[in-house]
Amino acid sequence: MRSQLARVSSLLVVVAVVAVVAVVAMVAMVAMTACAGGDRPRLARGAAAPDFSLPGVDGKVHSLREYADSRVLAVVFTGNSCPASQLYEARLRTLADDYRDRGVTLVAINPNRPAALQLQDLSFSDVGESLDDMKTRATHRRISYPYLSDGEAQAVARTFGVVATPHIFVFDQARTLQYEGRIDDSLREDAVKSPDARNAIDAVLAGKPAPVARTRVDTCPVKGLDQGAASAAVAQTETGKADVPLTMAGADDLKKLRQNGTGKLLLVNFWATWCVPCAAEFPELEAIYRMYRSRNLEFVSVSVNDPEERAAVMKFLQEHRAIHDNRLFATSDVYGLQAAFDPNMPAPVPYTVLLGPGGDVRYQELGELDPMKLRRAILANLPEDPQFPGHRAYWPN
């Protein structure tokens, strides 16, 4: 009897161990799927269009029933900061224009949570993902189709099963899903071979099923969808952990600075602690530097304070965690040192100039800074990223 009990007991232990291993493996698999965003079920062909009621850039609230008369409803999840989404803006505008008279409505929804963004997430953008940012983008890029915000709750994105941006869903007049996935097969418009969204819309208009029900979407992940509202501030404040440098700049230093031998895009700002506009715009310059530094932007601040005011200059820089290159005029000859940098440099501050790798002026601004103009000038002059061909040309428009 004891031997039988022992065998049964051993068997139970083995079963328990196997069960634990299986559970651990399942948990690991679920965790990996969650990390990949794959735990959100994607709508299947024939599924009903999820309802929504969201604020738009036009100041109105838009809902699904508003588009009940449309023969086809195309809902595309897109955003401001994703370079892939930016590259598709013109195509979406053309798609909306081409099909509007045929009873097709295109609605864009931004699923990104603004609070989840870190400054480095904006390395390809001039604005963030808030509704106000969306209004700025819509005005700048002349977006005429409805552009709605789902970023606060992200409930609509979860219901649709959004994978990344841009991600399009095409519904027939009965509002059943006929196609979901990519817009087409290339970020380069001139290299598109399979216009998947257009193919689906054409098929639905002809009363036929879409040629393909689903395609892969592997561009920009939705910000904040797979984590809590958490700490966007972590990366934004990490710069405060490093020392703040401050070196004295004489005439030769300033001449060399003007030539820009960094091989990178160089932003230079002349300022002073006693200059109210300088102090007001300095945080914006810091943010701009942290947005684009990963893409080869260098920033040098040059204080025109008297050398005896070094302590006040250092205190100001430390308060702003200015860990980049900072310089202070080495003598009280303000005009002479400014002329050493550039004989044509205007005397007042603030003065901001963007220099190309060869020292040529790409952008300059005397007086109060216009952050949007500066951001767009930087984006238009940063090196082309091979992962997003054509992105640089997006900005001068």
Side-chain angles (χ1 to χ4, degrees):
M1 176 68 73
R2 290 181 180 177
S3 61
Q4 290 178 342
L5 288 174
R7 285 196 297 272
V8 171
S9 180
S10 299
L11 181 60
L12 289 174
V13 169
V14 171
V15 170
V17 170
V18 171
V20 169
V21 171
V23 169
V24 170
M26 184 178 298
V27 169
M29 184 177 298
V30 169
M32 291 193 331
T33 305
C35 290
D39 60 330
R40 292 185 300 278
R42 293 169 66 174
L43 294 180
R45 175 180 275 180
D51 196 9
F52 58 82
S53 182
L54 297 170
V57 296
D58 58 357
K60 301 176 182 178
V61 175
H62 298 264
S63 60
L64 179 65
R65 62 179 176 273
E66 181 179 335
Y67 311 107
D69 294 336
S70 299
R71 294 177 62 193
V72 176
L73 176 64
V75 179
V76 59
F77 288 83
T78 186
N80 294 336
S81 59
C82 170
S85 292
Q86 295 163 9
L87 290 172
Y88 275 101
E89 276 178 13
R91 271 173 271 185
L92 288 174
R93 186 167 57 241
T94 301
L95 188 150
D97 292 343
D98 288 350
Y99 286 94
R100 185 176 292 111
D101 293 341
R102 299 177 65 187
V104 178
T105 297
L106 174 73
V107 177
I109 298 177
N110 187 334
N112 293 307
R113 180 185 292 148
L117 264 72
Q118 301 174 358
L119 284 174
Q120 61 263 36
D121 292 325
L122 302 177
S123 61
F124 286 87
S125 182
D126 58 338
V127 295
E129 301 288 3
S130 70
L131 183 56
D132 285 340
D133 290 327
M134 292 167 57
K135 292 176 181 178
T136 299
R137 174 59 58 77
T139 299
H140 181 233
R141 299 298 298 181
R142 303 180 299 279
I143 294 175
S144 57
Y145 46 81
Y147 189 22
L148 319 180
S149 175
D150 181 42
E152 294 303 324
Q154 299 182 301
V156 178
R158 294 181 188 279
T159 304
F160 272 77
V162 177
V163 174
T165 58
H167 187 167
I168 196 167
F169 297 76
V170 176
F171 299 91
D172 60 19
Q173 190 157 20
R175 294 302 174 263
T176 57
L177 183 66
Q178 298 301 313
Y179 169 77
E180 63 94 357
R182 66 193 185 188
I183 297 169
D184 56 44
D185 64 340
S186 179
L187 290 177
R188 285 179 47 195
E189 188 171 7
D190 61 354
V192 172
K193 295 180 180 178
S194 180
D196 304 284
R198 283 178 173 268
N199 289 343
I201 292 172
D202 288 339
V204 174
L205 288 173
K208 301 176 182 178
V212 178
R214 170 179 293 177
T215 52
R216 285 176 54 88
V217 183
D218 52 8
T219 44
C220 302
V222 178
K223 299 299 182 184
L225 201 57
D226 290 317
Q227 73 264 9
S231 54
V234 172
Q236 296 180 19
T237 59
E238 54 89 21
T239 52
K241 298 175 183 177
D243 292 334
V244 173
L246 179 61
T247 59
M248 307 306 290
D252 290 341
D253 299 313
L254 292 166
K255 288 178 181 177
K256 185 176 180 181
L257 179 64
R258 177 62 181 79
Q259 294 168 0
N260 186 17
T262 65
K264 301 179 181 180
L265 198 62
L266 178 63
L267 178 65
V268 183
N269 173 252
F270 288 83
W271 66 285
T273 56
W274 41 259
C275 165
V276 175
C278 298
E281 71 182 25
F282 204 85
E284 180 63 44
L285 287 164
E286 287 295 316
I288 287 173
Y289 167 62
R290 293 169 195 176
M291 286 167 65
Y292 307 121
R293 63 179 176 174
S294 64
R295 299 188 59 206
N296 289 329
L297 175 72
E298 294 289 343
F299 176 35
V300 178
S301 80
V302 182
S303 170
V304 302
N305 282 76
D306 190 276
E308 293 184 0
E309 298 173 314
R310 179 185 174 93
V313 173
M314 176 57 83
K315 182 175 182 293
F316 180 90
L317 293 171
Q318 289 174 334
E319 289 173 349
H320 290 83
R321 302 186 181 92
I323 64 169
H324 47 77
D325 188 349
N326 301 291
R327 306 187 188 187
L328 170 63
F329 275 5
T331 73
S332 57
D333 181 14
V334 174
Y335 297 113
L337 291 176
Q338 286 179 321
F341 178 79
D342 187 340
N344 297 317
M345 176 180 167
V349 290
Y351 173 65
T352 305
V353 61
L354 185 66
L355 300 175
D360 55 311
V361 175
R362 302 289 178 88
Y363 178 83
Q364 59 183 332
E365 199 162 2
L366 174 64
E368 188 175 351
L369 186 70
D370 185 327
M372 285 297 107
K373 285 185 179 179
L374 177 57
R375 292 182 188 190
R376 291 166 186 164
I378 291 171
L379 287 161
N381 285 282
L382 287 171
E384 185 82 297
D385 189 313
Q387 187 178 356
F388 302 105
H391 181 263
R392 182 174 175 176
Y394 169 90
W395 288 104
N397 298 329

